[in-house]
Amino acid sequence: IWGILGCVFLIVFAGLRYRTGWDWLAYEQYFIEMHGIMEMIEKGAPETALSVEPFFMAFTTILKRFSDDFVFI
């Protein structure tokens, strides 16, 4: 039971954090400018994507397949 309560606490704690951290706006802007996976295959990465970590770029292109809303993801 303590494990379940601990997981619920962490989910609520992480889920209620909105626009926290000094780099939130930068990552949000990258997410907005990033192409979806099909556009990435056709057009390539946008210029701003070159300064992003490769895993974040791959993760973002996959997530954009499901939603374009940064807060929802």
Side-chain angles (χ1 to χ4, degrees):
I1 185 110
W2 289 110
I4 293 171
L5 288 176
C7 287
V8 168
F9 174 77
L10 289 174
I11 289 169
V12 169
F13 181 75
L16 294 177
R17 296 182 63 193
Y18 176 70
R19 290 193 173 205
T20 57
W22 62 274
D23 58 351
W24 173 278
L25 294 175
Y27 279 108
E28 184 179 23
Q29 189 63 35
Y30 287 133
F31 186 86
I32 291 168
E33 293 175 3
M34 196 69 67
H35 299 312
I37 193 157
M38 296 308 289
E39 278 184 280
M40 189 72 83
I41 292 170
E42 294 171 2
K43 299 178 183 177
E47 290 292 323
T48 56
L50 301 177
S51 63
V52 179
E53 296 89 357
F55 181 75
F56 179 74
M57 186 167 52
F59 187 63
T60 302
T61 57
I62 293 168
L63 288 178
K64 286 198 82 148
R65 179 116 170 114
F66 301 104
S67 176
D68 282 335
D69 186 8
F70 182 74
V71 177
F72 177 73
I73 296 295

